[in-house]
Amino acid sequence: MTEKARVRTGGRSARIQASVHAAVETLLAELSRSELTIPLIADRAGVTPSTIYRRWGDLAELLGDVAVQRLRPVSDPADTGSVPGDLEAWSIQFADEMSSVPGRTMLRDIFAGTTDSKNPSYCCSFTDLQLGVINRRAIDRGKPGFDVELFIDRVVAPILYRILFRELPPSTDYCRQLVSAAVPGHAEPVHAVTDA
Amino acid sequence: MTEKARVRTGGRSARIQASVHAAVETLLAELSRSELTIPLIADRAGVTPSTIYRRWGDLAELLGDVAVQRLRPVSDPADTGSVPGDLEAWSIQFADEMSSVPGRTMLRDIFAGTTDSKNPSYCCSFTDLQLGVINRRAIDRGKPGFDVELFIDRVVAPILYRILFRELPPSTDYCRQLVSAAVPGHAEPVHAVTDA
């Protein structure tokens, strides 16, 4: 369902998506999640319930789609002047945002759809894109890049494991240790790394 | 809710839990997940809906509790005669089970409860226990153990990241590579390691 929703991005279809997403966001501010229903959302968005069922399938898939849109990064990762610095800053911010109550609610919504929902992989592709920006930034400056896949295995995955499965969220020190073990040259003081 | 359910394990309370869990399992074999309701489960289990609401709070929390019980390991990890061999066998089986359709459905159910649900941490504690068995088995034999926390960061977390966020499930080769990079001495051929 979401795949379809993402392909048809223009005109009437885009307006329906925007209006349904806005209705969900407004209603979530007024009601508890268990009170939310598709007829209620349709009424607020000014569409018929069948429009929502046709496009999203069910409430879980719609909430997952809204969460994906909220997780879409609004800007490039902070530019600290070095790859280790960028990766450390990105990881700490990622851990912080994803372990917040809104972050954990978005993760829950992303997993609440069907087991073949595309929502988790959209979420993961945002991470790939952000890390890709840091990598290209380094290469464009003639600095060594880093192994994005290895970084995901060694830093992103354990941060999310702690958030999803453990009661203790990942601390800033924990993030720093993961980055430092995963990225060569991270032991150098970040501030001393100058940009050519 | 689940915390409470797990504490009261004896007598009437245990019988109610067993009967409600059995009702969920039977109904899931007959109906689609979206057709499942608490009144239907209560009727099948021979309890009142309010018994279920009082004990589990809502349907998502009940389904998560059923998933946790299914994820509880039924036996100790396979004993291959060496720590690297045990960890490789455990990881491959873990990846295989969790990436199956029933595995991914259980993961979804575990995350579908409230954001402060204990279900994900029960799931994670089963992993800790299984890895602890492998570690103690080695130490009891006078062999070196391994760092369970590091193994979770380096092997368990990336396996689950692939299952949860990526469309490509973790392959056996991928699991072997993770274990081999995480566990010292894994480069030795597993079959050559004899047990004292």
Side-chain angles (χ1 to χ4, degrees):
Chain A
M1 290 294 160
T2 311
E3 187 56 65
K4 214 177 187 180
R6 289 172 64 92
V7 170
R8 303 183 302 170
T9 48
R12 187 170 56 90
S13 178
R15 284 199 303 278
I16 289 172
Q17 174 164 336
S19 134
V20 170
H21 278 210
V24 170
E25 308 248 9
T26 321
L27 286 167
L28 278 177
E30 296 168 13
L31 302 172
S32 84
R33 187 157 295 248
S34 60
E35 292 170 297
L36 216 61
T37 63
I38 287 192
L40 217 52
I41 296 165
D43 184 59
R44 186 66 65 100
V47 302
T48 63
S50 64
T51 298
I52 296 183
Y53 287 116
R54 202 162 44 236
R55 183 151 175 164
W56 283 278
D58 61 19
L59 180 60
E61 195 63 23
L62 169 57
L63 290 177
D65 188 34
V66 171
V68 166
Q69 298 309 321
R70 280 186 181 188
L71 280 169
R72 186 187 290 277
V74 288
S75 60
D76 278 353
D79 186 350
T80 69
S82 80
V83 165
D86 287 4
L87 290 175
E88 182 175 294
W90 181 86
S91 303
I92 292 169
Q93 191 187 341
F94 176 78
D96 196 49
E97 288 176 3
M98 298 303 260
S99 59
S100 67
V101 172
R104 285 184 293 128
T105 305
M106 285 186 280
L107 283 170
R108 188 188 65 176
D109 287 345
I110 277 167
F111 293 125
T114 57
T115 50
D116 59 353
S117 166
K118 304 276 181 208
N119 288 332
S121 74
Y122 290 135
C123 171
C124 150
S125 70
F126 297 151
T127 302
D128 296 348
L129 285 171
Q130 293 263 295
L131 295 174
V133 168
I134 297 177
N135 204 21
R136 268 196 311 281
R137 195 187 276 161
I139 293 165
D140 288 348
R141 286 168 176 169
K143 304 266 184 184
F146 65 101
D147 184 336
V148 173
E149 280 299 311
L150 187 73
F151 188 84
I152 289 171
D153 283 351
R154 294 278 176 97
V155 180
V156 178
I159 286 175
L160 283 170
Y161 185 86
R162 292 223 167 180
I163 294 170
L164 288 169
F165 291 100
R166 295 220 152 144
E167 303 198 45
L168 190 72
S171 68
T172 298
D173 274 352
Y174 175 74
C175 295
R176 285 208 178 100
Q177 282 162 24
L178 291 176
V179 174
S180 144
V183 186
H186 187 263
E188 303 162 29
V190 169
H191 307 295
V193 178
T194 51
D195 191 18
Chain B
M1 290 293 161
T2 312
E3 187 57 64
K4 214 181 191 176
R6 290 171 65 91
V7 170
R8 302 183 304 170
T9 48
R12 188 170 57 91
S13 178
R15 284 198 302 276
I16 289 172
Q17 173 164 336
S19 134
V20 170
H21 278 211
V24 170
E25 307 247 9
T26 320
L27 286 167
L28 278 177
E30 296 168 14
L31 303 171
S32 83
R33 186 157 297 249
S34 60
E35 293 170 297
L36 216 62
T37 63
I38 288 191
L40 216 52
I41 296 166
D43 184 59
R44 185 66 65 100
V47 304
T48 63
S50 64
T51 298
I52 297 184
Y53 287 117
R54 201 164 43 237
R55 183 151 175 165
W56 284 278
D58 61 19
L59 181 60
E61 195 63 23
L62 170 56
L63 291 177
D65 188 34
V66 171
V68 165
Q69 298 309 320
R70 282 187 179 187
L71 280 169
R72 187 187 290 277
V74 288
S75 60
D76 277 354
D79 186 350
T80 68
S82 80
V83 164
D86 287 2
L87 290 175
E88 183 176 293
W90 182 87
S91 303
I92 292 169
Q93 189 186 342
F94 177 77
D96 195 49
E97 287 176 3
M98 299 304 259
S99 59
S100 68
V101 172
R104 285 184 293 128
T105 305
M106 284 185 282
L107 283 170
R108 189 188 62 177
D109 287 345
I110 277 167
F111 292 126
T114 57
T115 51
D116 60 354
S117 166
K118 303 275 180 209
N119 289 331
S121 74
Y122 290 135
C123 172
C124 151
S125 70
F126 297 151
T127 301
D128 296 348
L129 285 171
Q130 292 263 295
L131 295 173
V133 168
I134 296 178
N135 204 22
R136 267 196 312 280
R137 195 188 277 160
I139 293 164
D140 287 348
R141 287 170 175 167
K143 305 264 184 184
F146 65 101
D147 183 335
V148 173
E149 280 299 311
L150 187 72
F151 188 84
I152 288 171
D153 283 351
R154 293 278 176 98
V155 179
V156 177
I159 286 175
L160 282 170
Y161 185 85
R162 292 223 167 180
I163 294 170
L164 288 168
F165 290 101
R166 295 221 152 142
E167 304 199 42
L168 190 73
S171 67
T172 297
D173 274 354
Y174 175 74
C175 295
R176 284 207 180 100
Q177 282 161 26
L178 291 175
V179 175
S180 144
V183 186
H186 187 262
E188 304 162 28
V190 168
H191 307 295
V193 178
T194 51
D195 191 18

